[in-house]
Coordinates of all heavy atoms in Angstrom, one line a residue:
M1 N 98.1 80.1 81.8 CA 99.3 80.8 82.1 C 100.3 79.8 82.7 O 100.0 79.0 83.6 CB 99.0 81.9 83.2 CG 99.6 83.2 82.9 SD 99.4 84.4 84.2 CE 97.7 84.9 84.1
P2 N 101.5 79.8 82.2 CA 102.5 78.9 82.7 C 102.9 79.3 84.2 O 103.1 80.4 84.4 CB 103.7 79.0 81.8 CG 103.6 80.3 81.2 CD 102.1 80.7 81.2
A3 N 103.1 78.3 85.0 CA 103.5 78.6 86.4 C 105.0 78.7 86.4 O 105.8 77.8 86.0 CB 103.1 77.5 87.3
N4 N 105.5 79.9 86.8 CA 106.9 80.0 87.0 C 107.1 80.9 88.2 O 106.2 81.7 88.6 CB 107.6 80.7 85.8 CG 107.1 82.0 85.5 OD1 105.9 82.2 85.4 ND2 108.0 83.0 85.3
T5 N 108.2 80.8 88.9 CA 108.3 81.5 90.2 C 109.6 82.3 90.2 O 110.3 82.3 89.3 CB 108.2 80.4 91.3 OG1 108.1 81.1 92.6 CG2 109.4 79.5 91.3
C6 N 109.7 83.0 91.3 CA 110.9 83.9 91.5 C 111.1 84.0 93.0 O 110.3 83.6 93.8 CB 110.7 85.2 90.8 SG 109.4 86.2 91.7
G7 N 112.2 84.7 93.4 CA 112.5 84.8 94.8 C 111.5 85.6 95.5 O 111.2 85.3 96.7
H8 N 110.8 86.6 94.9 CA 109.8 87.3 95.6 C 108.6 86.4 95.9 O 108.1 86.5 97.0 CB 109.3 88.4 94.6 CG 110.3 89.4 94.2 ND1 110.7 89.5 92.9 CD2 111.0 90.3 94.9 CE1 111.6 90.4 92.8 NE2 111.9 91.0 94.0
L9 N 108.2 85.6 95.0 CA 107.1 84.7 95.2 C 107.4 83.6 96.3 O 106.6 83.3 97.2 CB 106.6 84.0 93.9 CG 106.0 85.0 92.9 CD1 105.7 84.2 91.6 CD2 104.8 85.7 93.4
E10 N 108.7 83.1 96.2 CA 109.1 82.1 97.1 C 109.2 82.6 98.5 O 109.1 81.9 99.5 CB 110.4 81.5 96.7 CG 110.2 80.5 95.5 CD 111.5 80.2 94.8 OE1 112.6 80.6 95.2 OE2 111.4 79.4 93.8
A11 N 109.4 83.9 98.7 CA 109.6 84.5 100.0 C 108.2 84.7 100.7 O 108.2 85.0 101.9 CB 110.3 85.9 99.9
I12 N 107.1 84.6 100.0 CA 105.8 84.8 100.6 C 105.3 83.6 101.4 O 105.2 82.5 100.8 CB 104.8 85.3 99.6 CG1 105.3 86.6 99.1 CG2 103.4 85.3 100.1 CD1 104.4 87.3 98.1
E13 N 105.1 83.8 102.7 CA 104.7 82.7 103.5 C 103.2 82.8 103.8 O 102.5 81.8 103.8 CB 105.4 82.6 104.8 CG 106.9 82.2 104.6 CD 107.8 82.3 105.8 OE1 107.3 82.7 106.9 OE2 109.0 82.0 105.7
T14 N 102.7 84.0 104.0 CA 101.3 84.2 104.3 C 100.8 85.2 103.3 O 101.3 86.3 103.2 CB 101.1 84.8 105.8 OG1 101.8 83.9 106.7 CG2 99.6 84.8 106.1
V15 N 99.8 84.8 102.6 CA 99.2 85.7 101.6 C 98.3 86.7 102.2 O 97.4 86.3 103.0 CB 98.4 84.8 100.5 CG1 97.8 85.7 99.5 CG2 99.4 83.9 99.8
K16 N 98.4 87.9 101.8 CA 97.6 89.0 102.3 C 96.3 89.1 101.5 O 96.4 89.0 100.2 CB 98.3 90.4 102.3 CG 99.4 90.5 103.2 CD 100.0 91.9 103.1 CE 101.0 92.3 104.2 NZ 102.3 91.5 104.0
H17 N 95.2 89.1 102.1 CA 93.9 89.2 101.5 C 93.3 90.6 101.6 O 93.7 91.3 102.5 CB 93.0 88.1 102.0 CG 93.5 86.7 101.7 ND1 93.4 86.1 100.5 CD2 94.1 85.8 102.5 CE1 93.9 84.9 100.5 NE2 94.4 84.7 101.8
P18 N 92.3 90.9 100.8 CA 91.7 92.3 100.9 C 91.1 92.5 102.2 O 90.3 91.6 102.7 CB 90.7 92.3 99.8 CG 91.0 91.2 98.9 CD 91.8 90.2 99.7
K19 N 91.3 93.7 102.8 CA 90.6 94.1 104.0 C 89.2 94.6 103.7 O 88.3 94.4 104.4 CB 91.4 95.2 104.8 CG 92.7 94.6 105.4 CD 93.3 95.7 106.3 CE 94.7 95.2 106.8 NZ 95.7 95.3 105.7
Q20 N 89.1 95.2 102.5 CA 87.8 95.7 102.0 C 87.8 95.2 100.6 O 88.8 95.3 99.9 CB 87.7 97.2 102.1 CG 87.2 97.6 103.5 CD 87.8 98.9 104.0 OE1 88.8 99.4 103.4 NE2 87.3 99.4 105.0
R21 N 86.6 94.9 100.1 CA 86.4 94.5 98.7 C 86.1 95.6 97.8 O 85.1 95.8 97.2 CB 85.3 93.4 98.7 CG 85.4 92.3 99.6 CD 84.9 91.0 99.1 NE 85.7 90.5 98.0 CZ 86.8 89.8 98.2 NH1 87.2 89.4 99.3 NH2 87.5 89.4 97.1
E22 N 87.2 96.5 97.8 CA 87.1 97.7 96.9 C 88.5 98.2 96.6 O 89.4 97.9 97.4 CB 86.2 98.8 97.5 CG 86.8 99.2 98.9 CD 85.9 100.1 99.7 OE1 84.6 100.0 99.5 OE2 86.4 100.8 100.5
C23 N 88.6 98.9 95.5 CA 89.9 99.5 95.1 C 90.0 100.8 96.0 O 89.2 101.7 95.9 CB 90.0 99.8 93.6 SG 91.4 100.8 93.3
A24 N 91.1 100.8 96.7 CA 91.3 101.9 97.7 C 91.4 103.3 96.9 O 91.1 104.3 97.5 CB 92.6 101.7 98.5
E25 N 91.9 103.3 95.7 CA 92.0 104.6 94.9 C 90.7 104.9 94.2 O 90.2 106.0 94.1 CB 93.1 104.5 93.9 CG 94.5 104.4 94.6 CD 94.8 105.6 95.4 OE1 94.4 106.7 95.0 OE2 95.5 105.5 96.5
C26 N 90.1 103.9 93.6 CA 88.8 104.1 92.8 C 87.7 104.6 93.7 O 86.9 105.5 93.2 CB 88.4 102.9 92.1 SG 89.4 102.5 90.6
V27 N 87.6 104.1 94.9 CA 86.5 104.6 95.8 C 86.6 106.1 96.1 O 85.6 106.8 96.3 CB 86.4 103.8 97.1 CG1 85.9 102.4 96.9 CG2 87.7 103.8 97.9
K28 N 87.8 106.6 96.1 CA 88.0 108.1 96.3 C 87.4 108.9 95.2 O 87.0 110.0 95.5 CB 89.5 108.4 96.5 CG 90.2 107.8 97.7 CD 91.6 108.2 97.8 CE 92.4 107.4 98.8 NZ 93.9 107.6 98.5
T29 N 87.5 108.4 94.0 CA 87.1 109.2 92.9 C 85.7 108.7 92.3 O 85.2 109.3 91.3 CB 88.2 109.1 91.8 OG1 88.4 107.8 91.5 CG2 89.4 109.8 92.2
G30 N 85.2 107.6 92.8 CA 84.0 107.1 92.3 C 84.1 106.4 91.0 O 83.1 106.1 90.3
D31 N 85.3 105.9 90.7 CA 85.6 105.2 89.5 C 85.2 103.7 89.7 O 85.1 103.2 90.8 CB 87.0 105.3 89.1 CG 87.3 106.6 88.4 OD1 86.5 107.1 87.7 OD2 88.5 107.0 88.5
R32 N 85.0 103.0 88.6 CA 84.7 101.6 88.6 C 86.0 100.8 88.4 O 87.0 101.2 87.8 CB 83.7 101.2 87.5 CG 82.4 101.9 87.7 CD 81.5 101.7 86.4 NE 80.2 102.3 86.6 CZ 79.2 101.6 87.2 NH1 79.3 100.4 87.6 NH2 78.1 102.2 87.4
W33 N 85.9 99.5 88.9 CA 87.0 98.6 88.7 C 86.4 97.3 88.2 O 85.2 97.0 88.4 CB 87.9 98.4 89.9 CG 87.1 97.9 91.1 CD1 86.9 96.6 91.4 CD2 86.4 98.7 92.1 NE1 86.1 96.5 92.5 CE2 85.8 97.7 93.0 CE3 86.3 100.0 92.3 CZ2 85.1 98.1 94.1 CZ3 85.6 100.4 93.4 CH2 85.0 99.5 94.3
V34 N 87.3 96.4 87.7 CA 86.9 95.1 87.2 C 87.2 94.0 88.3 O 86.4 93.3 88.8 CB 87.5 94.8 85.9 CG1 87.1 93.4 85.3 CG2 87.2 95.8 84.8
H35 N 88.5 93.9 88.6 CA 89.0 92.9 89.5 C 89.9 93.5 90.6 O 90.4 94.6 90.3 CB 89.7 91.7 88.9 CG 88.9 91.0 87.9 ND1 89.3 90.9 86.6 CD2 87.8 90.2 88.1 CE1 88.3 90.1 85.9 NE2 87.4 89.7 86.8
L36 N 90.0 92.9 91.7 CA 90.8 93.4 92.8 C 92.1 92.6 92.9 O 92.2 91.4 92.8 CB 90.1 93.4 94.1 CG 88.8 94.3 94.1 CD1 88.0 94.1 95.4 CD2 89.2 95.8 94.0
R37 N 93.2 93.4 93.3 CA 94.5 92.8 93.5 C 95.0 93.3 94.9 O 94.9 94.5 95.1 CB 95.5 93.2 92.4 CG 95.0 92.9 91.0 CD 94.9 91.4 90.8 NE 94.4 91.0 89.4 CZ 93.4 90.3 89.2 NH1 92.6 89.9 90.2 NH2 93.0 89.9 88.0
T38 N 95.7 92.5 95.6 CA 96.2 93.0 96.9 C 97.7 93.0 96.9 O 98.3 91.9 96.7 CB 95.6 92.1 98.1 OG1 94.2 92.2 98.1 CG2 96.1 92.6 99.4
C39 N 98.3 94.1 97.2 CA 99.8 94.2 97.3 C 100.3 93.4 98.5 O 99.8 93.5 99.6 CB 100.2 95.7 97.5 SG 102.0 95.9 97.7
Q40 N 101.3 92.5 98.2 CA 101.7 91.6 99.3 C 102.8 92.3 100.1 O 103.3 91.7 101.1 CB 102.3 90.3 98.7 CG 101.2 89.6 98.0 CD 100.0 89.2 98.9 OE1 100.2 88.4 99.8 NE2 98.9 89.7 98.7
E41 N 103.2 93.5 99.8 CA 104.2 94.2 100.6 C 103.4 95.1 101.7 O 103.8 95.0 102.9 CB 105.0 95.1 99.7 CG 106.3 95.6 100.2 CD 107.3 94.5 100.2 OE1 107.3 93.6 99.3 OE2 108.2 94.5 101.1
C42 N 102.5 95.8 101.3 CA 101.8 96.8 102.2 C 100.4 96.4 102.4 O 99.7 97.1 103.3 CB 102.0 98.2 101.7 SG 101.1 98.5 100.2
G43 N 99.8 95.5 101.7 CA 98.4 95.0 102.0 C 97.3 95.9 101.4 O 96.2 95.6 101.6
V44 N 97.7 96.9 100.6 CA 96.7 97.7 100.0 C 96.0 97.0 98.8 O 96.6 96.2 98.1 CB 97.3 99.1 99.4 CG1 98.2 98.8 98.3 CG2 96.2 100.0 99.0
T45 N 94.7 97.1 98.7 CA 93.9 96.5 97.6 C 93.5 97.5 96.6 O 93.0 98.5 96.9 CB 92.7 95.8 98.2 OG1 93.1 94.8 99.1 CG2 91.8 95.2 97.1
L46 N 93.9 97.1 95.3 CA 93.7 98.1 94.2 C 93.2 97.3 93.0 O 93.0 96.1 93.1 CB 95.1 98.7 93.9 CG 95.7 99.6 95.0 CD1 97.2 99.8 94.7 CD2 94.9 100.9 95.1
C47 N 93.0 98.0 91.9 CA 92.3 97.4 90.8 C 93.3 96.8 89.7 O 94.4 97.2 89.6 CB 91.3 98.3 90.1 SG 92.0 99.9 89.6
C48 N 92.8 95.9 88.9 CA 93.6 95.1 88.0 C 93.9 95.9 86.7 O 93.4 96.9 86.5 CB 92.9 93.8 87.7 SG 91.4 94.1 86.6
D49 N 94.6 95.2 85.8 CA 95.0 95.8 84.5 C 93.8 95.9 83.5 O 93.9 96.6 82.5 CB 96.1 95.1 83.9 CG 97.5 95.6 84.4 OD1 97.5 96.5 85.2 OD2 98.5 95.0 84.0
S50 N 92.7 95.2 83.8 CA 91.5 95.3 83.0 C 90.7 96.5 83.4 O 89.7 96.8 82.7 CB 90.7 94.0 83.0 OG 91.5 92.9 82.7
S51 N 91.0 97.0 84.5 CA 90.2 98.2 85.0 C 90.8 99.5 84.4 O 92.0 99.5 84.1 CB 90.4 98.3 86.6 OG 90.1 97.0 87.2
P52 N 89.9 100.5 84.2 CA 90.4 101.7 83.6 C 91.6 102.3 84.2 O 92.5 102.9 83.5 CB 89.2 102.6 83.6 CG 88.0 101.8 84.0 CD 88.5 100.5 84.6
N53 N 91.7 102.3 85.5 CA 92.8 103.0 86.2 C 94.0 102.2 86.5 O 95.1 102.7 86.9 CB 92.3 103.7 87.5 CG 91.2 104.7 87.2 OD1 91.5 105.6 86.4 ND2 90.1 104.6 87.8
R54 N 93.9 100.9 86.4 CA 95.1 100.0 86.6 C 95.9 100.4 87.9 O 97.1 100.4 87.8 CB 96.0 100.0 85.4 CG 95.3 99.6 84.1 CD 96.3 99.7 83.0 NE 95.6 99.2 81.8 CZ 96.3 98.7 80.7 NH1 97.6 98.6 80.8 NH2 95.6 98.2 79.7
H55 N 95.2 100.6 89.0 CA 95.9 101.1 90.1 C 96.9 100.1 90.7 O 98.0 100.6 91.2 CB 94.9 101.4 91.2 CG 94.2 102.8 91.0 ND1 92.8 102.9 91.0 CD2 94.7 104.0 90.7 CE1 92.5 104.2 90.7 NE2 93.6 104.8 90.5
A56 N 96.7 98.8 90.6 CA 97.7 97.9 91.2 C 99.0 97.9 90.4 O 100.1 97.9 91.0 CB 97.1 96.4 91.1
S57 N 98.9 98.0 89.1 CA 100.2 98.1 88.3 C 100.9 99.4 88.6 O 102.1 99.4 88.8 CB 99.8 98.2 86.8 OG 99.6 96.9 86.3
H58 N 100.2 100.5 88.7 CA 100.8 101.8 89.0 C 101.4 101.8 90.4 O 102.6 102.3 90.6 CB 99.8 102.9 88.9 CG 99.3 103.2 87.5 ND1 100.2 103.6 86.5 CD2 98.1 103.2 86.9 CE1 99.6 103.8 85.4 NE2 98.3 103.5 85.6
H59 N 100.8 101.2 91.3 CA 101.3 101.1 92.7 C 102.6 100.2 92.7 O 103.6 100.6 93.3 CB 100.2 100.4 93.6 CG 100.8 100.1 95.0 ND1 100.9 101.1 95.9 CD2 101.2 98.9 95.5 CE1 101.4 100.5 97.0 NE2 101.6 99.2 96.8
A60 N 102.6 99.1 92.0 CA 103.8 98.3 91.9 C 105.0 99.0 91.3 O 106.1 98.9 91.9 CB 103.5 97.0 91.1
R61 N 104.7 99.8 90.3 CA 105.8 100.5 89.7 C 106.3 101.7 90.6 O 107.5 101.9 90.7 CB 105.4 101.1 88.3 CG 106.3 100.7 87.2 CD 105.7 101.2 85.8 NE 104.5 100.4 85.5 CZ 103.4 101.0 85.0 NH1 103.4 102.2 84.7 NH2 102.3 100.2 84.7
A62 N 105.4 102.4 91.1 CA 105.7 103.6 91.9 C 106.4 103.2 93.2 O 107.3 103.9 93.7 CB 104.5 104.4 92.1
S63 N 105.9 102.2 93.8 CA 106.3 101.8 95.2 C 107.4 100.8 95.2 O 108.1 100.5 96.2 CB 105.2 101.3 96.0 OG 104.7 100.1 95.5
K64 N 107.6 100.1 94.0 CA 108.5 99.0 93.9 C 108.1 97.8 94.8 O 109.0 97.1 95.3 CB 110.0 99.4 94.2 CG 110.5 100.5 93.3 CD 111.6 100.1 92.5 CE 112.3 101.1 91.6 NZ 111.6 102.3 91.3
H65 N 106.8 97.7 95.0 CA 106.3 96.5 95.7 C 106.0 95.5 94.6 O 105.1 95.7 93.8 CB 105.0 96.8 96.4 CG 105.3 97.8 97.6 ND1 104.2 98.4 98.3 CD2 106.4 98.1 98.2 CE1 104.7 99.1 99.3 NE2 106.1 99.0 99.2
P66 N 106.8 94.4 94.6 CA 106.7 93.5 93.4 C 105.5 92.6 93.2 O 105.0 92.4 92.1 CB 108.0 92.6 93.5 CG 108.2 92.6 95.0 CD 107.8 93.9 95.5
V67 N 104.9 92.1 94.4 CA 104.0 91.0 94.3 C 102.6 91.4 94.6 O 102.3 92.1 95.6 CB 104.4 89.8 95.1 CG1 103.5 88.6 95.1 CG2 105.8 89.3 94.8
I68 N 101.6 91.0 93.8 CA 100.2 91.1 94.1 C 99.6 89.7 94.2 O 100.0 88.8 93.6 CB 99.4 91.9 93.1 CG1 99.7 91.4 91.7 CG2 99.8 93.4 93.2 CD1 98.7 91.8 90.6
A69 N 98.5 89.6 94.9 CA 97.6 88.4 94.9 C 96.3 88.9 94.3 O 95.9 90.0 94.5 CB 97.4 87.9 96.3
S70 N 95.6 87.9 93.7 CA 94.3 88.2 93.3 C 93.4 88.4 94.6 O 93.5 87.7 95.5 CB 93.7 87.0 92.6 OG 92.3 87.2 92.3
G71 N 92.6 89.4 94.5 CA 91.7 89.7 95.6 C 90.3 89.2 95.3 O 89.3 89.5 96.0
E72 N 90.2 88.4 94.3 CA 88.9 87.8 93.9 C 88.6 86.5 94.7 O 89.5 85.7 94.8 CB 88.8 87.5 92.4 CG 89.0 88.8 91.5 CD 87.9 89.8 91.8 OE1 86.7 89.4 91.7 OE2 88.2 91.0 92.1
I73 N 87.3 86.4 95.1 CA 86.9 85.2 95.8 C 87.1 84.0 94.9 O 86.7 84.0 93.7 CB 85.5 85.3 96.3 CG1 85.5 86.3 97.4 CG2 85.0 84.0 96.8 CD1 84.1 86.8 97.8
G74 N 87.7 82.9 95.4 CA 87.9 81.7 94.6 C 89.2 81.7 93.7 O 89.5 80.7 93.2
E75 N 89.9 82.8 93.6 CA 91.1 82.9 92.9 C 92.3 82.8 93.9 O 92.3 83.6 94.8 CB 91.2 84.1 92.0 CG 90.3 84.1 90.9 CD 90.5 85.3 89.9 OE1 91.5 86.0 90.1 OE2 89.6 85.4 89.1
R76 N 93.2 81.9 93.7 CA 94.3 81.8 94.6 C 95.6 81.8 93.8 O 96.2 80.8 93.5 CB 94.2 80.5 95.4 CG 93.0 80.5 96.3 CD 92.7 79.1 96.9 NE 93.8 78.6 97.7 CZ 93.9 79.0 99.0 NH1 93.1 79.7 99.6 NH2 94.9 78.5 99.7
W77 N 96.1 83.0 93.5 CA 97.4 83.1 92.8 C 98.1 84.4 93.1 O 97.5 85.3 93.6 CB 97.2 83.0 91.2 CG 96.2 83.9 90.6 CD1 94.9 83.6 90.3 CD2 96.3 85.3 90.3 NE1 94.3 84.7 89.7 CE2 95.1 85.7 89.7 CE3 97.4 86.2 90.4 CZ2 95.0 87.1 89.2 CZ3 97.2 87.5 89.9 CH2 96.0 87.9 89.3
L78 N 99.4 84.3 92.9 CA 100.3 85.5 93.1 C 101.0 85.8 91.8 O 101.3 84.9 91.0 CB 101.3 85.1 94.2 CG 100.8 84.7 95.6 CD1 101.9 84.0 96.3 CD2 100.4 86.0 96.3
Y79 N 101.3 87.1 91.7 CA 102.0 87.5 90.5 C 103.1 88.5 90.8 O 102.8 89.4 91.7 CB 101.0 88.2 89.5 CG 101.6 88.7 88.2 CD1 102.1 87.8 87.2 CD2 101.8 90.1 88.1 CE1 102.7 88.3 86.1 CE2 102.5 90.6 86.9 CZ 102.9 89.7 86.0 OH 103.6 90.2 84.9
C80 N 104.2 88.4 90.3 CA 105.3 89.3 90.5 C 105.5 90.1 89.2 O 105.8 89.6 88.2 CB 106.6 88.5 90.8 SG 108.0 89.6 90.9
F81 N 105.4 91.4 89.4 CA 105.5 92.3 88.2 C 106.9 92.4 87.6 O 107.1 92.1 86.4 CB 105.1 93.8 88.6 CG 103.6 94.0 88.6 CD1 102.9 94.0 89.9 CD2 102.9 94.1 87.5 CE1 101.5 94.2 89.9 CE2 101.5 94.3 87.5 CZ 100.8 94.3 88.7
P82 N 108.0 92.6 88.4 CA 109.3 92.7 87.8 C 109.8 91.4 87.1 O 110.5 91.5 86.1 CB 110.2 93.1 88.9 CG 109.5 92.9 90.2 CD 108.0 93.0 89.8
D83 N 109.4 90.3 87.6 CA 109.8 89.0 87.0 C 108.8 88.4 86.1 O 109.1 87.3 85.5 CB 110.2 88.0 88.1 CG 111.4 88.6 89.0 OD1 112.4 88.9 88.3 OD2 111.3 88.6 90.2
D84 N 107.6 89.0 86.0 CA 106.5 88.4 85.2 C 106.3 86.9 85.6 O 106.2 86.0 84.8 CB 106.8 88.5 83.7 CG 105.6 88.2 82.9 OD1 104.4 88.3 83.4 OD2 105.7 87.7 81.7
A85 N 106.3 86.7 86.9 CA 106.2 85.3 87.5 C 104.8 85.1 88.1 O 104.3 86.1 88.7 CB 107.3 85.1 88.5
F86 N 104.3 83.9 88.0 CA 103.0 83.6 88.4 C 102.9 82.3 89.1 O 103.6 81.3 88.7 CB 102.1 83.6 87.1 CG 100.7 83.1 87.4 CD1 99.7 83.9 87.7 CD2 100.4 81.7 87.2 CE1 98.4 83.5 87.9 CE2 99.1 81.3 87.4 CZ 98.1 82.1 87.8
V87 N 102.2 82.2 90.2 CA 102.1 80.9 90.9 C 100.8 80.8 91.5 O 100.2 81.8 92.0 CB 103.3 80.8 91.9 CG1 103.1 81.7 93.1 CG2 103.4 79.3 92.4
E88 N 100.2 79.6 91.5 CA 99.0 79.4 92.2 C 99.3 78.8 93.6 O 100.4 78.1 93.7 CB 98.1 78.4 91.4 CG 97.5 79.1 90.2 CD 96.6 78.2 89.4 OE1 97.2 77.3 88.7 OE2 95.4 78.3 89.4
Y89 N 98.5 79.0 94.6 CA 98.8 78.5 95.9 C 97.6 77.8 96.5 O 96.5 77.8 95.9 CB 99.3 79.6 96.8 CG 98.3 80.7 97.1 CD1 97.4 80.6 98.2 CD2 98.1 81.8 96.3 CE1 96.4 81.5 98.4 CE2 97.2 82.8 96.5 CZ 96.3 82.6 97.6 OH 95.4 83.6 97.8
Ligands
ZN1 ZN1 109.9 88.4 91.6
ZN2 ZN1 91.4 101.4 91.1
ZN3 ZN1 102.3 98.0 98.3

């Protein structure tokens, strides 16, 4: 993935990490997820686009919170939905 950045990514000083290693929406319904993503605006941890429910994408669109971080151990990157920007940190 090419590294490109945007104002949203540049504004992030401290990356929010998952408080719990689970999708906050999937656990309510007993659904499964593949990977975890943490919203950098409100700190909620939700599931990725490879997961059946794509909760992180839906959250970004509905709440207009642009940036997520990977919630996976060993992955250190941020992604901005509106700008399709990606950066490793
Ligand atoms: Zn952006
Ligand atoms: Zn989910
Ligand atoms: Zn959010």
Side-chain angles (χ1 to χ4, degrees):
M1 226 188 284
N4 61 312
T5 189
C6 69
H8 302 112
L9 294 178
E10 284 166 2
I12 293 185
E13 289 173 1
T14 309
V15 176
K16 291 182 173 70
H17 296 286
K19 292 188 183 74
Q20 275 146 348
R21 307 212 70 85
E22 57 191 25
C23 171
E25 294 298 326
C26 286
V27 288
K28 293 181 193 165
T29 53
D31 282 329
R32 292 171 180 276
W33 61 86
V34 180
H35 298 119
L36 295 173
R37 307 291 181 240
T38 301
C39 176
Q40 296 301 294
E41 200 74 31
C42 64
V44 67
T45 295
L46 297 165
C47 56
C48 71
D49 276 358
S50 303
S51 309
N53 295 309
R54 303 180 175 203
H55 282 128
S57 279
H58 288 301
H59 173 77
R61 231 173 296 139
S63 64
K64 304 244 182 342
H65 293 168
V67 179
I68 53 162
S70 175
E72 297 299 307
I73 291 164
E75 291 187 9
R76 296 170 62 86
W77 52 259
L78 298 162
Y79 177 75
C80 175
F81 282 103
D83 295 310
D84 192 26
F86 171 87
V87 71
E88 289 180 288
Y89 63 89

